[in-house]
């Protein structure tokens, strides 16, 4: 094994350097992958209390609602197309409707409960 390394270092130093560098890069990404593996989750926390930064799409995923149903619950109309949407947050919606976030949260929870009860889930 040692003689093979000496051969490659003596005869092919550039190729050996590229190989060693690629091994280090691969090791770096493998360690990063393993460190972040525990933090990866597909789901959004369910029935999360509304916060100012949240967007309607995030809330719809959290409450397991179709976007149109959430739009009806919030009274904001149909969701705009992906490329044409403006950054609308829960703080903006609460301000437009003159309510606070806890009131809006209760409205969303009640609407979601009614939707899921109607669908039998």
């Amino acid at each position: 094994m040692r003689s093979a390394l000496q051969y490659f270092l003596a005869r092919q130093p550039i190729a050996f350097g590229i190989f060693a560098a690629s091994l280090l890069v691969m090791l770096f990404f493998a360690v990063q992958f393993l460190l972040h593996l525990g933090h990866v989750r597909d789901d959004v926390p369910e029935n999360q209390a509304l916060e100012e930064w949240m967007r309607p799409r995030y809330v719809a995923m959290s409450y397991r609602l179709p976007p149109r149903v959430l739009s009806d619950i919030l009274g904001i109309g149909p969701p705009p197309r992906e490329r044409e949407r403006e950054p609308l947050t829960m703080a903006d919606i609460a301000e437009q409707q003159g309510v606070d976030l806890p009131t809006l949260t209760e409205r969303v929870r009640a609407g979601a409960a009614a939707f899921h009860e109607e669908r039998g889930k």
Side-chain angles (χ1 to χ4, degrees):
M1 176 76 175
R2 190 170 198 104
S3 63
L5 286 177
Q6 290 173 347
Y7 171 78
F8 282 117
L9 277 172
R11 303 274 180 151
Q12 303 291 334
I14 295 174
F16 185 79
I18 292 171
F19 179 71
S22 66
L23 280 179
L24 289 175
V25 169
M26 183 187 69
L27 181 64
F28 171 77
F29 283 113
V31 168
Q32 292 297 313
F33 173 75
L34 292 175
L35 289 176
H36 293 291
L37 189 62
H39 299 288
V40 175
R41 293 193 320 195
D42 292 345
D43 56 344
V44 175
E46 288 191 27
N47 303 334
Q48 193 174 7
L50 300 183
E51 295 183 31
E52 293 180 357
W53 59 268
M54 292 179 177
R55 306 235 186 260
R57 181 175 166 88
Y58 182 88
V59 174
M61 290 188 317
S62 175
Y63 285 86
R64 308 283 190 239
L65 296 171
R68 293 192 190 281
V69 172
L70 180 66
S71 296
D72 292 341
I73 292 170
L74 294 174
I76 58 173
R81 291 178 175 230
E82 186 72 23
R83 292 177 188 237
E84 299 170 2
R85 74 177 163 175
E86 65 179 55
L88 187 67
T89 63
M90 290 298 118
D92 298 333
I93 295 169
E95 185 179 317
Q96 289 172 358
Q97 296 180 2
V99 297
D100 57 354
L101 283 175
T103 303
L104 202 58
T105 300
E106 290 306 315
R107 186 185 306 167
V108 170
R109 284 185 177 159
F115 174 77
H116 291 300
E117 184 177 311
E118 179 182 303
R119 304 236 349 174
K121 291 185 177 178

